[in-house]
Amino acid sequence: QVQLVESGGGLVQAGDSLRLSCAASGRTFNNYAMGWFRQAVGKEREFVATISWSGGNTGYADSVKGRFAISRDHAKNTMYLSMNSLKPEDTAVYYCASERDPLGWGSKSAYKYDYWGQGTQVTVSS
C-alpha cells in the first residue's frame, strides 16, 4: 500500500522556522519527482515547491522563494520542506505528493501528482 505521511507542522510565531517531513512507503519513491502544496481555509490548493527524482532540480512558488527549501533523502525515502522567516500568510495545511510518471523533473501542476499525504497543519501567528 502506497503511503505518504507528513509531519512537523505546528503553531509558531512570525519569523520562526519549521521543517516538514514526508515519509514515503509502498513505492520506489526515489524514482519519482515530488512536491509540496498547501491549502489555506477558504482558498484553493496551491503549489509550494517541487523536487526532481534525483534531487538535482528544484522549483518554488514566488511567495516562498528564498525562505523555503525542499530536499530529499533517498536513503530514508523522505522529503523535507525547511521553512524560514514564516509569515501569517503561510498558515495552511501542507500536503506532500508524488508525481504520476517516473524520472520527472518536478511540476507545479497538481494534476501531475497521483499520491498525496493526509496533510499537516502549519499555523503562523503574528
Side-chain angles (χ1 to χ4, degrees):
Q1 183 180 357
V2 176
Q3 253 192 329
L4 296 176
V5 180
E6 302 96 335
S7 61
L11 172 62
V12 297
Q13 293 187 332
D16 284 352
S17 299
L18 273 177
R19 190 176 79 156
L20 305 183
S21 300
C22 173
S25 62
R27 185 188 198 181
T28 310
F29 280 100
N30 291 347
N31 290 344
Y32 292 83
M34 298 187 71
W36 287 98
F37 291 76
R38 67 187 182 187
Q39 187 167 19
V41 174
K43 295 188 177 181
E44 294 186 352
R45 187 172 299 190
E46 65 174 1
F47 165 76
V48 175
T50 187
I51 188 166
S52 63
W53 71 275
S54 67
N57 186 67
T58 59
Y60 298 92
D62 288 343
S63 59
V64 306
K65 204 171 292 184
R67 299 188 299 121
F68 290 12
I70 189 171
S71 60
R72 65 191 303 167
D73 185 335
H74 282 178
K76 296 182 178 179
N77 236 14
T78 300
M79 178 178 65
Y80 305 97
L81 184 68
S82 296
M83 305 184 294
N84 298 312
S85 302
L86 282 162
K87 304 175 181 180
E89 50 263 45
D90 294 319
T91 295
V93 177
Y94 283 71
Y95 300 90
C96 67
S98 175
E99 277 198 348
R100 179 176 299 106
D101 299 321
L103 306 181
W105 287 96
S107 173
K108 299 181 178 181
S109 172
Y111 298 105
K112 295 265 184 95
Y113 296 83
D114 59 348
Y115 288 108
W116 295 79
Q118 82 291 346
T120 185
Q121 176 71 46
V122 172
T123 303
V124 184
S125 63
S126 56

